[in-house]
């Protein structure tokens, strides 16, 4: 089976199927390993009843005009006797090696076209040429000339090439495989299906290239397949794709190979640097042209790149050591003072043995580079800066003869690799720390990083020990770093569902607090104290501490302004329900991390931004944020946050009653997330919402009640608090009513400590659901909820409240009162595209004795959700006073909205308004 090429396969079959009525051509273009030859083979297998002529461009014959054409046409050259004599002579002369005068090239093209038409008289003809651009240019020109002139001829031409397709021919680019197709291809090749996050990591390593995936699959061990060990980070140089690049490289002239090596070693890709280096080496940039034709490099005005990072690796790996050393020296000599880091790195690659002076030069260059703002003056763009700095410091450590200093530099190199999102490199650097006496503070920095990597990428419970050890070792020498270690340990405790451990972390933090601490240190101490108080339910102490964290987060400047500090401030904002501030802090963390290239900070920052968007009612924005977080978590190897974002996406899809998407996201998670962990809780929440949508209240209540054990500090207390409105709805009339009441008590204590109208509205809704059915208490609570839902927080939760209230009224035999709220809910769900919830509202309306229709889409697009609800009530005959009473608005507000509605729809009366909405 050919994975991920459905569209191209259909195009090939269409080309063959339509040849009887109209000939045609198709160009498939893509990088080596993208599946071009596989698609040509597919065409040959399905060309039943065709005469097939197959050729391929050969680099060895690229200098022989018409060599490719001769090999293609040789099986049918006897048909040339049927051509007019001048055409036959011209064709035979060209194919015999005598060439073709420029003024006769048109005649030659027509001769080839006539020859193919003669062959096709017997039965349809398929001509295929693989790697057209690798052969001689004269043959390619004739074949593309013919391919443009196949109308009304039973001839199909299929060609493939690496570069851009010839003008005037239908083409299909062979793009990298998506995650699903790549996972299917890996499952075909591996002895057991890989863990989903392993598939994602291998797809990133392969760049979606099918052959690279196949080569990677051949190197994956069973432990890597299961996810017990990190998967390989790059395709093997000696795999099929590597050999294909090697074959192209071997065909290049010596001058070209020297310039290609310079390009491969200069990862900055600056054409000006390459021009200077090539000139200094006795050649010119023009020598790069054969490599570009061969598909080994891509040349643009501002950048020289390789089609796949494996191509760069093959160039470097196959060059002799002496050539590599000479190339590094050339590059070092031509780089300017503004490219100090790259220059020092190239020099360092030519040295054998310790060289303290060069090591110091590397460290100073790294320091200057990381302090500079990303931009043209910096050696590398933001997303490569930390990777370059890590490589430089690792090399500096190799050149350092002082053991302690070398270890310190290697730890910093590991930290920079982590910021660059290079997890395998980070682990390798940490694992390779040399044995020997090391100051405790230096060793603690390694433990802090090791714990952070374990938290994001490995076994979360295993992160706690190194993080606590790091905090203890750093307490006397670096209080701020010690507090950061404790805050990370707190993240690990919350992720694993072991919140009871947080009290000990807050206790450890108290002796580290000093009067007059700067904002960054004060933020951490307040954060630890505030979260600990929140988890034990002491909101009177938690509120002031966490609000102080939010304020301090907004005041950070200079070195204190980091993505980590902003994410701690954002999480504090969520805990005190200042959602707008939490969103701004998380969004600022995302912006800062992107600008500085600190990729490892992005998955967590994006998680917090998505949660803020959820509370703000921006569900689509939250889903987009989580998709971005998922992509980055996969790209940076943060397997635990891959599952977090998948869980959040599953919840968001379930809330919208999108069963297929929600279940697909859950299936993408690693098998059986650890019970009690955040991903496990998010998956359970999503499944519970789907149960609730389908009317399986008992199952939903079971799932949600099991998320946490109130009072024990075990389980996902914070997730259960977020899901409490769904737990109460599911358990209101079930056996789990006691669990719902207990969870609501926790929710109420939290909600009442905040100024959030959203939380208070949800609390009122929950109390309405638990009140006796049909009671005044229930009705009052529902009306309080409807009044309290803020307009700026999105209409979805208010519509859910209206649906539940309408259902309560309808079941209490008050269908007339129910219909207004059910209409309100139905209209909102319809506009939001929440089909399943709209269907529930429709069913309730029908049960209340009324049918519904679909609002006119043209009118709906012109009005806000609230305006449409007002317009619909007016169209049904309600007075402005009645509309105000039903929607809990003032009459003046309804008057204002109605004037805007008339203006937007271009109507002048209530009668015209009713017509506009039907």
């Amino acid at each position: 089976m050919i994975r991920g090429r459905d569209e191209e396969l259909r195009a090939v079959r269409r080309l063959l199927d339509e040849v009887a009525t109209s000939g045609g051509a198709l160009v498939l273009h893509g990088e080596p390993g993208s599946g071009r030859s596989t698609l040509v083979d597919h065409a040959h297998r399905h060309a039943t009843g065709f005469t097939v002529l197959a050729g391929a461009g050969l680099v060895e014959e690229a200098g022989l005009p018409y060599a490719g054409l001769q090999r293609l046409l040789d099986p049918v050259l006897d048909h040339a006797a049927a051509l007019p004599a001048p055409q036959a002579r011209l064709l035979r002369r060209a194919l015999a090696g005598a060439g073709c005068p420029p003024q006769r090239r048109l005649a030659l093209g027509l001769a080839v076209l006539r020859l193919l038409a003669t062959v096709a008289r017997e039965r349809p003809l398929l001509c295929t040429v693989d790697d057209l651009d690798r052969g001689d240019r004269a043959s390619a020109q004739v074949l593309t000339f013919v391919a443009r002139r196949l109308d009304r001829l039973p001839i199909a031409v299929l060609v493939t090439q690496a570069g851009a397709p010839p003008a005037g021919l239908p083409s299909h680019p062979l793009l990298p495989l998506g995650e699903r197709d790549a996972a299917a291809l890996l499952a075909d090749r591996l002895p057991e299906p890989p863990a989903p996050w392993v598939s994602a990591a291998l797809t990133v390593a392969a760049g979606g290239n099918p052959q690279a995936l196949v080569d990677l699959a051949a190197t994956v061990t069973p432990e890597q397949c299961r996810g017990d060990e990190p998967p390989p980070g790059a395709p093997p140089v000696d795999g099929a794709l590597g050999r294909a690049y090697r074959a192209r490289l071997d065909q290049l002239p010596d001058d070209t190979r020297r310039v290609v090596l310079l390009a491969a070693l200069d990862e900055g890709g600056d054409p000006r640097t390459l021009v200077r280096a090539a000139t200094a080496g006795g050649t010119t940039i023009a020598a790069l042209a054969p490599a570009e034709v061969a598909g080994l490099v891509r040349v643009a005005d501002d950048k020289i790149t390789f089609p796949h990072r494996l191509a760069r690796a093959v160039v470097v790996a196959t060059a002799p050591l002496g050539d590599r050393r000479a190339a590094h020296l050339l590059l070092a000599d031509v780089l300017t003072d503004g490219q100090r880091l790259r220059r020092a790195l190239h020099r360092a690659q030519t040295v054998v043995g310790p060289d303290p002076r060069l090591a110091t030069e590397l460290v100073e260059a790294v320091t200057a580079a990381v302090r500079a703002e990303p931009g043209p003056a910096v050696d590398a763009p933001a997303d490569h800066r930390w990777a370059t700095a890590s490589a430089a410091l690792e090399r500096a450590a190799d050149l350092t003869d002082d053991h302690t200093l070398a270890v310190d530099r290697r730890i910093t190199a590991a930290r920079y690799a982590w910021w660059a999102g290079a997890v395998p490199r980070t682990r390798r650097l940490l694992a390779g720390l040399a044995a020997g006496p090391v100051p405790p503070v230096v060793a603690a920095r390694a433990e802090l990083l090791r714990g952070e990597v374990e938290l994001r990428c490995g076994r979360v419970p295993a992160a706690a020990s190194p993080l606590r050890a790091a905090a203890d070792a750093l307490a006397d020498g670096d209080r701020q770093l010690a507090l950061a270690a404790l805050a990370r340990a707190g993240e690990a405790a919350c992720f694993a569902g072991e919140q009871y451990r947080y009290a000990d972390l807050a206790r450890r933090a108290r002796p580290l607090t000093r009067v007059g601490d700067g904002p960054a240190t004060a933020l951490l101490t307040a954060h630890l104290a505030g979260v600990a108080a929140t988890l034990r339910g002491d909101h009177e102490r938690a509120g002031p501490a966490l609000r102080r964290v939010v304020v301090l987060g907004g005041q950070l400047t200079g070195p204190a302004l980091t993505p980590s500090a902003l994410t701690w401030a954002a999480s504090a904002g969520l805990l005190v329900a200042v959602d707008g501030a939490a969103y701004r802090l998380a969004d600022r963390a995302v912006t800062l991390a992107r600008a500085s290239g600190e990729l490892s900070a992005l998955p967590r920052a994006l998680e917090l931004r998505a949660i803020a968007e959820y509370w703000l009612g921006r569900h689509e924005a939250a889903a987009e944020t989580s998709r971005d977080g998922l992509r980055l978590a996969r790209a940076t190897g943060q397997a635990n946050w891959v599952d977090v974002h998948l869980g959040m996406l599953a919840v968001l899809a379930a809330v919208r009653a999108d069963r297929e998407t929600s279940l697909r996201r859950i299936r993408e998670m690693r098998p059986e997330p650890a019970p009690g962990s955040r991903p496990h809780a998010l998956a359970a929440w999503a499944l519970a919402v789907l149960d609730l949508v389908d009317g399986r209240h008992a199952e939903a209540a079971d799932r949600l009640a099991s998320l946490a054990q109130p009072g024990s500090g075990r389980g996902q207390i914070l997730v259960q608090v977020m899901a409490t409105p769904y737990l109460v709805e599911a358990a209101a009339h079930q056996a789990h009513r006691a669990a719902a009441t207990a969870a609501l008590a926790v929710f109420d204590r939290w909600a009442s400590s905040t100024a959030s109208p959203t939380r208070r509205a949800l609390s009122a809704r929950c109390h309405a659901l638990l009140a006796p059915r049909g009671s005044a208490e229930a009705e009052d609570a529902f009306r309080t909820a409807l009044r309290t839902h803020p307009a700026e927080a999105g209409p979805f939760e208010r519509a859910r409240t209206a649906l539940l209230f309408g259902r309560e009224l309808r079941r209490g035999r008050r269908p007339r009162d129910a219909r207004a709220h059910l209409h309100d809910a139905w209209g909102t769900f319809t506009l939001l595209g929440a089909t399943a919830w709209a269907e529930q509202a429709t069913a309730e309306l029908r049960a209340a004795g009324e049918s519904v229709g679909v609002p006119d889409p043209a009118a709906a697009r012109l009005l806000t959700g609230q305006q449409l609800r007002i317009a619909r009530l007016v169209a049904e005959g309600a007075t402005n006073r009645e509309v105000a009473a039903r929607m809990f608005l003032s009459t003046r507000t309804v008057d204002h909205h109605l004037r805007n509605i008339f203006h937007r729809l271009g109507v002048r009366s209530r009668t015209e308004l009713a017509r506009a909405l039907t």
Side-chain angles (χ1 to χ4, degrees):
M1 174 178 278
I2 303 176
R3 299 288 188 181
R5 298 297 182 224
D6 293 348
E7 186 177 348
E8 289 79 11
L9 289 170
R10 284 193 293 270
V12 170
R13 293 189 191 115
R14 188 162 55 248
L15 177 70
L16 298 176
D17 291 343
E18 295 177 358
V19 74
T21 56
S22 176
L26 177 64
V27 181
L28 301 173
H29 57 103
E31 66 182 28
S34 58
R36 293 173 296 164
S37 299
T38 302
L39 290 164
V40 171
D41 291 342
H42 173 83
H44 291 166
R45 289 195 303 273
H46 287 77
T48 305
F50 281 72
T51 297
V52 177
L53 297 178
L58 299 178
V59 174
E60 295 84 350
E61 298 181 356
L64 303 176
Y66 305 112
L69 190 63
Q70 186 275 329
R71 282 185 291 105
L72 179 71
L73 299 180
D74 186 63
V76 295
L77 203 53
D78 57 326
H79 287 73
L83 301 181
Q87 282 190 336
R89 283 195 301 272
L90 180 63
L91 178 60
R92 291 184 186 278
R93 176 183 173 85
L95 300 186
C100 177
Q103 68 273 18
R104 299 284 288 160
R105 287 174 187 167
L106 175 60
L108 177 61
L110 293 172
V112 173
L113 178 62
R114 189 156 187 169
L115 174 66
L116 296 179
T118 301
V119 175
R121 288 175 187 166
E122 301 170 7
R123 54 180 183 168
L125 175 63
L126 170 65
C127 294
T128 67
V129 181
D130 202 7
D131 290 327
L132 177 68
D133 53 347
R134 298 200 69 200
D136 68 276
R137 190 160 178 257
S139 293
Q141 289 176 334
V142 172
L143 288 170
T144 53
F145 172 89
V146 169
R148 296 187 189 100
R149 290 162 173 80
L150 298 177
D151 290 345
R152 298 182 300 279
L153 291 174
I155 302 172
V157 171
L158 176 64
V159 299
T160 74
Q161 61 183 59
L169 292 178
S171 63
H172 272 277
L174 301 183
L175 301 175
L177 298 186
E179 290 176 10
R180 189 175 300 182
D181 291 319
L185 177 57
L186 288 167
D188 294 341
R189 295 284 176 163
L190 292 169
E192 58 181 294
W197 75 271
V198 173
S199 288
L202 292 173
T203 302
V204 171
N209 184 289
Q211 186 59 58
L213 283 165
V214 172
D215 293 346
L216 276 167
T219 69
V220 172
T221 66
E223 293 77 16
Q224 291 172 326
C225 191
R226 292 191 297 269
D228 297 334
E229 295 181 0
V237 174
D238 59 352
L241 184 58
R243 292 194 302 273
Y245 280 124
R246 173 70 183 268
R248 290 169 182 250
L249 183 64
D250 288 345
Q251 298 296 327
L252 298 178
D254 290 344
D255 280 355
T256 300
R257 295 187 64 171
R258 282 194 288 271
V259 178
V260 170
L261 178 59
L262 288 168
L265 294 174
D266 180 42
E267 297 195 12
D270 182 1
R272 292 166 297 182
T273 300
L274 191 58
V275 168
R276 293 196 299 269
T279 302
T283 184
T284 67
I285 193 68
L288 198 61
E292 188 176 10
V293 172
L296 270 175
V297 295
R298 294 170 179 164
V299 180
D301 291 339
D302 60 343
K303 192 82 169 175
I304 295 174
T305 60
F306 287 76
H308 195 282
R309 60 178 175 172
L310 182 59
R312 184 191 296 271
V314 167
V315 171
V316 175
T318 56
L321 178 60
D323 290 355
R324 293 202 300 271
R325 186 176 185 279
H328 279 300
L329 287 172
L330 278 173
L331 289 164
D333 288 344
V334 301
L335 288 168
T336 64
D337 290 341
Q339 298 160 313
R340 181 182 178 188
L341 178 54
R342 285 164 55 201
R343 183 173 62 190
L345 260 173
H346 284 301
R347 286 177 179 163
Q349 297 301 325
T350 68
V351 175
V352 178
D355 189 330
R357 183 193 60 78
L358 187 52
T360 301
E361 167 66 13
L362 278 168
V363 172
E364 291 175 353
V366 167
T367 302
V370 300
R371 286 179 178 172
E373 291 293 327
V378 179
D379 277 357
D383 55 344
H384 296 304
R385 185 162 50 143
W386 299 115
T388 303
S390 174
L393 285 179
E394 182 182 10
R395 186 63 183 137
D398 294 338
L399 299 173
T400 302
D401 54 6
D402 180 276
H403 171 74
T404 299
L405 189 56
V407 171
D408 183 74
R409 287 169 175 174
R410 200 172 294 275
I411 291 170
T412 306
R415 167 61 66 182
Y416 290 168
W418 171 242
W419 285 350
V423 175
R425 178 182 178 83
T426 305
R427 290 189 185 276
R428 176 178 63 76
L429 287 165
L430 289 173
L433 294 177
V438 177
V441 172
V442 175
R445 287 175 51 226
E447 287 299 285
L448 172 57
L449 179 56
R450 190 173 283 113
E452 187 175 348
V453 173
E454 203 66 33
L455 165 63
R456 303 286 186 227
C457 312
R459 294 179 57 254
V460 175
S465 177
L467 289 168
R468 287 196 298 267
D472 290 342
L474 291 164
D476 294 332
D478 192 330
R479 287 187 302 111
Q480 184 175 328
L481 209 55
L483 289 165
L486 291 173
R488 290 281 183 240
E491 282 187 45
C494 291
F495 184 96
E498 298 173 345
Q499 285 92 338
Y500 64 89
R501 297 185 184 277
Y502 216 102
D504 175 63
L505 300 173
R507 180 187 59 77
R508 290 170 182 249
R510 280 194 289 273
L512 301 176
T513 305
R514 303 284 188 277
V515 176
D517 276 338
T521 305
L523 182 151
L524 284 165
T525 55
H527 182 272
L528 284 158
V531 174
T534 297
L535 293 174
R536 67 174 180 265
D538 187 354
H539 298 293
E540 289 185 0
R541 284 186 171 84
L546 293 173
R547 290 187 184 92
R548 184 173 182 233
V549 174
V550 174
V551 172
L552 289 170
Q555 295 174 347
L556 295 173
T557 58
L561 180 60
T562 65
S564 292
L566 290 170
T567 54
W568 282 318
S571 66
L574 290 170
L575 289 175
V576 289
V578 285
D579 304 319
Y583 170 82
R584 288 189 293 273
L585 288 163
D587 187 58
R588 193 179 182 195
V590 170
T591 302
L592 181 60
R594 289 192 196 280
S596 65
E598 195 174 326
L599 301 182
S600 60
L602 282 167
R604 172 64 171 159
L606 287 164
E607 177 203 5
L608 294 170
R609 192 175 80 179
I611 294 172
E613 287 167 332
Y614 169 85
W615 280 116
L616 290 167
R618 305 169 189 168
H619 291 181
E620 287 298 327
E624 184 59 36
T625 292
S626 286
R627 284 190 289 270
D628 195 15
L630 174 61
R631 178 184 61 80
L632 284 161
R634 284 173 168 164
T636 56
Q638 296 189 29
N640 295 325
W641 259 255
V642 167
D643 284 350
V644 165
H645 283 289
L646 286 170
M648 193 67 193
L649 286 166
V651 168
L652 291 165
V655 166
R656 298 293 297 270
D658 183 350
R659 169 177 295 278
E660 180 182 354
T661 299
S662 183
L663 294 178
R664 175 168 59 83
R665 291 304 190 181
I666 291 172
R667 286 194 297 269
E668 289 180 47
M669 298 170 75
R670 287 176 292 178
E672 301 178 4
S677 68
R678 191 179 305 156
H680 183 271
L682 291 169
W685 180 9
L687 292 170
V689 175
L690 294 177
D691 286 335
L692 194 59
V693 171
D694 293 340
R696 295 191 296 272
H697 295 87
E699 291 87 343
D702 281 338
R703 294 186 196 277
L704 295 172
S706 68
L707 293 182
Q709 303 168 28
S712 71
R714 296 182 183 273
Q716 288 297 319
I717 298 170
L718 299 178
V719 175
Q720 189 179 65
V721 168
M722 289 181 71
T724 293
Y726 292 95
L727 171 57
V728 170
E729 184 178 344
H733 306 290
Q734 302 291 329
H736 281 287
R737 185 182 180 91
T741 302
L744 181 56
V746 173
F747 185 90
D748 279 344
R749 285 196 297 274
W750 173 53
S752 63
S753 73
T754 75
S756 167
T758 296
R759 274 65 161 191
R760 294 180 183 231
L762 292 173
S763 174
R765 184 172 89 191
C766 290
H767 282 282
L769 290 167
L770 292 176
R773 177 169 290 173
S775 66
E777 179 187 352
E779 183 169 347
D780 288 346
F782 269 125
R783 293 189 184 280
T784 297
L786 287 172
R787 282 195 304 272
T788 310
H789 276 296
E792 69 274 9
F796 180 81
E797 287 298 343
R798 189 184 189 284
R800 292 269 293 119
T801 300
L803 171 61
L804 292 167
F805 188 22
R807 178 182 296 166
E808 175 73 10
L809 292 170
R810 198 268 303 167
R811 291 176 178 176
R813 299 186 179 183
R814 295 169 61 187
R816 182 174 179 178
D817 293 335
R819 286 197 286 267
H821 299 291
L822 294 173
H823 263 298
D824 185 15
W826 172 81
T828 299
F829 292 141
T830 300
L831 289 175
L832 292 175
T835 306
W837 294 114
E839 289 173 353
Q840 286 196 18
T842 299
E844 290 293 334
L845 277 167
R846 287 173 180 157
E850 185 167 335
S851 61
V852 294
V854 179
D856 178 65
R861 282 194 296 269
L862 294 171
L863 303 179
T864 66
Q866 188 173 50
Q867 286 174 337
L868 187 60
R869 291 194 293 273
I870 292 171
R872 188 178 294 110
L873 289 172
V874 170
E876 291 170 357
T879 65
N880 288 12
R881 188 179 298 278
E882 289 170 337
V883 172
R886 290 190 188 185
M887 295 189 65
F888 307 102
L889 300 171
S890 69
T891 306
R892 179 177 297 176
T893 299
V894 174
D895 291 342
H896 171 74
H897 280 305
L898 200 55
R899 284 193 296 273
N900 288 335
I901 291 166
F902 277 30
H903 175 71
R904 289 191 178 192
L905 297 185
V907 298
R908 298 181 180 181
S909 68
R910 292 172 180 251
T911 302
E912 290 182 8
L913 174 61
R915 290 197 200 103
L917 293 176
T918 56

